[in-house]
């Protein structure tokens, strides 16, 4: 709808100038900035900070954009309000990192009725009508969970622990977020396949360091013999490390710690031996979303689902890899 209005305006300008005998002054028709509304989850983790920075440094006027950024403080109602606000402002594109998977149909239909394309970044939405969004770019959370257990299987084999029962607890992310859903599924299915892996408990730490520490403290009180902690993001792993140290145990040695995200500080912890392994989840989606928008602006078509490349790192390679890390 907006595109039609813009073309009409341009035609009128040219016609008007031609009628007046002049040539349209190209400098007067300076390029219109593409307005992008970004409904961000919040600022709960190092990963989120890097993700926000990636958008703020990509969607700048010098690149032809006007970014309207909203931090929802991890509340879905705030994200829905932000999307409605973007519709009111008649932005060209809406980008959402949905805090949880469900509850988006109504507001996405409003965006569709307003003729505003919606691009999903980071987490996924569960929708009955996939035409309500144009494209999604993010991590393969199920594979991340599977990779975490794959690392544990290899570690156990090479450490002579194959026949030892291992008591495992999971610090989950925000319940209902696709990062939590996928990682928990990959991890719990992997645990179920090995009779020596005993899942003692799983509980959400909301992807934050404080809550992660609190839940880990309660796990340590309830289970004196924890062998492995699987934290569904690095900030909860940092909290778990503090809780483990507070009871006089050595993280990475007395209790194996496997984490997700692989942010810069997590590499420092792997080098210090406090985190044993970290499954990457790349947050640098700004340029990827910009590429999608540029393709759409040229009338091109884009893939509906775009997974980012991710690796798994551990104490054996963290020091060598850290200098090349971009977040
Ligand atoms: C993953 C992202 C998760 C990170 C957390 O794509 O949604 O949210 O793993 C962040 O650090 O809070």
């Amino acid at each position: 709808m907006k595109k039609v209005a813009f073309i009409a305006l341009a035609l009128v300008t040219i016609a008007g100038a031609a009628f007046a005998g002049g040539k349209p002054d190209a400098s007067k028709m300076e390029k219109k900035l593409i307005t992008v509304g970004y409904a961000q989850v919040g600022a709960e983790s190092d990963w989120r900070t890097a993700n926000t920075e990636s958008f703020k440094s990509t969607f700048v006027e010098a690149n032809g954009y006007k970014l309207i950024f909203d931090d929802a403080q991890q509340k879905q109602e705030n994200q829905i309000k932000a999307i409605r606000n973007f519709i009111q402002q008649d932005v060209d594109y809406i980008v959402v990192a949905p805090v949880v998977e469900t509850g988006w149909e109504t507001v996405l239909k409003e965006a569709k009725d307003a003729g505003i394309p919606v691009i999903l970044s980071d987490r996924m939405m569960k929708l009955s009508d996939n035409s309500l969004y144009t494209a999604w770019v993010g991590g393969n959370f199920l594979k991340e969970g599977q990779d975490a257990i794959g690392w544990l299987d290899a570690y156990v084999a090479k450490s002579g622990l194959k026949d030892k029962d291992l008591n495992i607890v999971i610090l989950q992310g925000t319940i209902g977020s696709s990062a939590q859903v996928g990682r928990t599924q990959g991890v719990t299915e992997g645990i179920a396949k090995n009779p020596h892996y005993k899942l003692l408990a799983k509980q959400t730490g909301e992807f934050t360091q404080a809550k992660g520490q609190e839940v880990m403290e309660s796990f340590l009180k309830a289970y004196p013999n924890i062998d492995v902690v699987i934290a569904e993001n690095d900030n909860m792993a940092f909290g778990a490390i503090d809780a483990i140290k507070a009871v006089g145990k050595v993280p990475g040695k007395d209790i194996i710690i496997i984490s997700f995200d692989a942010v810069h500080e997590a590499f420092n912890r792997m080098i210090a031996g406090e985190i044993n392994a970290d499954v990457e989840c790349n947050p640098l989606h700004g340029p990827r979303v910009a590429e999608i928008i540029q393709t759409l602006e040229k009338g091109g078509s884009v893939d509906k689902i775009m997974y980012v490349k991710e690796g798994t790192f551990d104490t054996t390679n963290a020091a060598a890899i850290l200098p090349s890390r971009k977040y």
Side-chain angles (χ1 to χ4, degrees), residues 50-272:
N51 178 258
T52 291
E53 178 45 38
S54 175
F55 275 85
K56 288 189 172 176
S57 58
T58 300
F59 292 97
V60 293
E61 284 208 13
N63 292 341
Y65 298 100
K66 177 173 184 294
L67 177 68
I68 306 169
F69 178 86
D70 181 273
D71 171 340
Q73 284 144 24
Q74 294 216 86
K75 291 187 178 66
Q76 181 174 28
E77 62 268 25
N78 290 348
Q79 284 195 300
I80 290 173
K81 233 181 274 164
I83 293 168
R84 290 203 163 109
N85 193 355
F86 297 151
I87 294 170
Q88 279 297 318
Q89 296 182 61
D90 199 19
V91 298
D92 295 305
Y93 295 89
I94 293 172
V95 183
V96 190
V99 61
V100 290
E101 292 187 324
T102 55
W104 303 99
E105 311 265 348
T106 305
V107 74
L108 288 201
K109 283 198 183 88
E110 293 166 22
K112 185 174 183 178
D113 293 346
I116 302 174
V118 173
I119 296 167
L120 303 183
S121 153
D122 170 19
R123 300 179 187 174
M124 180 47 99
M125 290 179 181
K126 260 204 170 63
L127 298 164
S128 57
D129 173 5
N130 276 339
S131 73
L132 291 173
Y133 74 95
T134 302
W136 172 86
V137 58
N140 185 335
F141 305 119
L142 174 62
K143 183 179 179 303
E144 290 172 9
Q146 293 163 341
D147 289 350
I149 295 298
W151 180 89
L152 183 61
D153 291 342
Y155 177 82
V156 158
K158 75 176 181 230
S159 312
L161 299 171
K162 252 171 98 60
D163 302 324
K164 181 180 182 302
D165 284 355
L166 290 178
N167 293 315
I168 301 170
V169 293
I170 306 173
L171 293 170
Q172 294 178 283
T174 303
I175 298 298
S177 67
S178 47
Q180 175 273 313
V181 171
R183 289 169 187 168
T184 298
Q185 183 186 342
V187 165
T188 51
E189 287 174 351
I191 288 171
K193 283 189 191 129
N194 186 327
H196 291 296
Y197 292 164
K198 310 289 182 197
L199 179 57
L200 298 179
K202 60 184 189 309
Q203 189 178 332
T204 184
E206 294 296 345
F207 283 131
T208 68
Q209 182 162 340
K211 190 81 179 132
Q213 178 171 347
E214 190 188 304
V215 173
M216 190 65 209
E217 286 164 354
S218 67
F219 281 163
L220 287 163
K221 282 197 189 89
Y223 308 102
N225 54 352
I226 294 170
D227 299 302
V228 181
V229 177
I230 298 179
E232 291 184 353
N233 88 325
D234 288 331
N235 292 81
M236 293 191 293
F238 303 155
I241 286 166
D242 290 344
I244 290 165
K245 286 179 176 174
V247 297
K249 293 192 173 187
V250 180
K253 290 195 176 29
D254 299 332
I255 297 180
I256 294 164
I257 298 181
I258 300 170
S259 186
F260 293 82
D261 284 353
V263 298
H264 195 279
E265 177 54 21
F267 271 83
N268 293 333
R269 301 309 183 96
M270 283 191 276
I271 291 165

